[in-house]
Amino acid sequence: MRILAAVVDEYIVTGEPVGSKSIMRYVNASSATIRNEMAELEKQGYLEQPHTSSGRVPTYSGYRLYVDRLMETNPLSEDEQERLEGMLPKDEYSEENLVKSASNALAELTSCATFVTNENPQFSVISKVEVIPTGKRMYVLLMISSTGRIQNRTCRLQLDLTDDQLKYFTDFVKDNLEGLPINVFSDEMLEKLETAMGTYLLTLSPLMQAIFDMSRDMAQRDISISGAKNLITRTDVDRNELMTFIDTSDELRELIDDSFSGIHVLFSDESDSFVIGNSSLVSGDFTKNGEVAGHLGVIGPMRIDYKKVIPYVEFFTNKISEILSTAEGAQNELRVIQNDDVVEERKESEDNEVNT
């Protein structure tokens, strides 16, 4: 196991097949003993020999064993933590700006591509839907989810809506849609809703279709990728496979599921959705008030420095969680203070009326 760990460590640094003499610097054993052990590791599928006269390189199974059992990561020093924290925005702590800055910093530190996703949409429900007239037969639909995501659609109708039609649609949406999970919408559900609208169907069907389309969009994870250019010039990553993977983010969505909790390492050999050969993905989740709010991770060649990448991902996800939860707590405290002020103002007003 020590020899396998040494081969992986040496290969990560050099990118060249590793011979027995190089391993002698890591393990107190003779060159012959090391060669025999490396041959045994090759039989077991942990190492492979690119050429008969060359050294050996780790296989996917070798990397998996290394990451799961053999790798030793050192905690980041205080100076390193301060340096990483300095790469985040100091004053503007909007969630979007915060996670985007962390993703960019991670791309710079690792020289790899990075990604950031929003929360899992299955926990999101429709909080509010508004219909806003904007012109002749033109209406804007605004949908807000429980997690604060906003979608809008512009609809052109055949006729201007009367006040009664607009009120009917607003009440219908409030009674039938608000509070529903955004990922429950289906063609069958849309058909039932349109049937329930009765005589209003012909006029209001485009608005209902727009709500259906927005819910479908909201049910997809938002994914932002940074630093893809870091991988394009690398010889150990297939450029065409990389661009295909980035352009079709559905594959990445399939990889980021509920099983990705804590720090998770995935190799391309482990998933049909991970189409970039000889690559790995390191992902961590960040939270807001104890609930998963999104994922931040690194996409790179299998030969990345896991001893550095994993602590970096862990630091940024922990820091994002800390900042988001602190900001949310401050907002909640502000709301309580504001509500108390409103109650106090109402009480003073009532007292004044009684006195009058």
Side-chain angles (χ1 to χ4, degrees):
M1 292 300 97
R2 291 198 303 272
I3 289 173
L4 176 60
V7 171
V8 176
D9 285 334
E10 184 73 8
Y11 184 63
I12 285 174
V13 173
T14 66
E16 299 292 335
V18 181
S20 57
K21 291 183 179 179
S22 299
I23 302 303
M24 293 178 67
R25 296 189 291 109
Y26 297 88
V27 179
N28 185 20
S30 68
S31 178
T33 298
I34 293 173
R35 281 197 302 272
N36 291 336
E37 293 295 313
M38 292 173 72
E40 182 61 29
L41 287 168
E42 184 177 358
K43 289 180 182 179
Q44 295 182 18
Y46 296 114
L47 297 179
E48 62 183 356
Q49 195 171 23
H51 308 288
T52 54
S53 60
S54 69
R56 290 170 174 84
V57 300
T59 64
Y60 141 69
S61 297
Y63 278 112
R64 173 50 69 194
L65 183 59
Y66 172 82
V67 169
D68 289 346
R69 292 178 51 191
L70 306 179
M71 179 183 64
E72 296 180 2
T73 59
N74 297 319
L76 297 174
S77 67
E78 290 187 6
D79 289 343
E80 183 74 353
Q81 292 183 45
E82 289 181 4
R83 183 172 79 91
L84 299 187
E85 189 168 355
M87 302 175 79
L88 298 176
K90 295 179 174 56
D91 300 318
E92 178 54 51
Y93 275 150
S94 71
E95 183 170 342
E96 181 179 0
N97 186 35
L98 178 63
V99 297
K100 184 64 175 176
S101 297
S103 181
N104 291 337
L106 198 54
E108 179 182 338
L109 290 164
T110 62
S111 298
C112 292
T114 59
F115 66 89
V116 61
T117 75
N118 65 334
E119 77 291 336
N120 194 326
Q122 68 173 322
F123 301 112
S124 180
V125 301
I126 297 174
S127 294
K128 190 174 184 61
V129 177
E130 291 187 4
V131 185
I132 306 169
T134 58
K136 190 172 181 61
R137 300 193 301 275
M138 296 291 292
Y139 296 84
V140 171
L141 274 167
L142 186 69
M143 178 186 287
I144 304 174
S145 75
S146 58
T147 55
R149 295 186 66 191
I150 298 175
Q151 287 273 337
N152 64 81
R153 288 288 189 281
T154 300
C155 296
R156 178 184 290 275
L157 304 183
Q158 294 181 350
L159 298 170
D160 286 319
L161 297 181
T162 65
D163 291 341
D164 288 342
Q165 290 171 327
L166 194 56
K167 183 179 185 307
Y168 171 84
F169 184 77
T170 302
D171 292 341
F172 184 86
V173 169
K174 186 174 183 180
D175 295 338
N176 293 278
L177 299 181
E178 290 185 5
L180 289 180
I182 62 174
N183 63 345
V184 302
F185 284 85
S186 62
D187 293 336
E188 292 77 15
M189 183 177 181
L190 175 63
E191 184 177 343
K192 289 180 180 179
L193 289 171
E194 290 182 333
T195 301
M197 295 171 69
T199 57
Y200 289 93
L201 172 60
L202 184 62
T203 305
L204 301 177
S205 177
L207 298 181
M208 185 57 67
Q209 181 65 52
I211 291 178
F212 179 80
D213 293 340
M214 288 190 291
S215 68
R216 284 284 182 89
D217 289 345
M218 277 192 171
Q220 298 291 327
R221 291 181 184 272
D222 281 341
I223 298 178
S224 176
I225 296 179
S226 304
K229 63 182 180 181
N230 291 336
L231 298 182
I232 291 177
T233 57
R234 297 190 65 129
T235 58
D236 50 356
V237 173
D238 187 289
R239 180 184 303 181
N240 293 330
E241 292 177 344
L242 172 66
M243 298 313 299
T244 298
F245 184 73
I246 291 175
D247 289 342
T248 54
S249 55
D250 289 344
E251 280 80 3
L252 185 52
R253 287 191 180 98
E254 291 181 21
L255 295 176
I256 309 298
D257 58 23
D258 293 342
S259 66
F260 274 34
S261 58
I263 301 298
H264 187 94
V265 179
L266 180 72
F267 299 105
S268 54
D269 293 50
E270 296 176 315
S271 173
D272 293 336
S273 299
F274 199 175
V275 299
I276 313 175
N278 191 39
S279 296
S280 62
L281 179 151
V282 180
S283 174
D285 58 53
F286 53 89
T287 63
K288 182 192 293 185
N289 294 331
E291 298 290 337
V292 174
H295 292 82
L296 173 69
V298 172
I299 301 170
M302 206 174 294
R303 192 180 65 84
I304 61 174
D305 192 345
Y306 299 97
K307 289 183 178 181
K308 288 185 177 180
V309 171
I310 290 176
Y312 286 157
V313 173
E314 193 170 30
F315 173 85
F316 282 118
T317 51
N318 288 341
K319 181 58 64 173
I320 292 172
S321 300
E322 175 189 328
I323 293 172
L324 292 183
S325 297
T326 301
E328 183 71 12
Q331 290 178 358
N332 290 335
E333 183 177 347
L334 179 59
R335 293 189 192 103
V336 171
I337 294 173
Q338 290 173 336
N339 289 337
D340 289 344
D341 290 342
V342 171
V343 171
E344 186 64 30
E345 289 177 3
R346 287 178 178 173
K347 185 176 182 302
E348 290 179 0
S349 177
E350 291 171 358
D351 291 342
N352 292 334
E353 289 179 3
V354 170
N355 292 335
T356 302

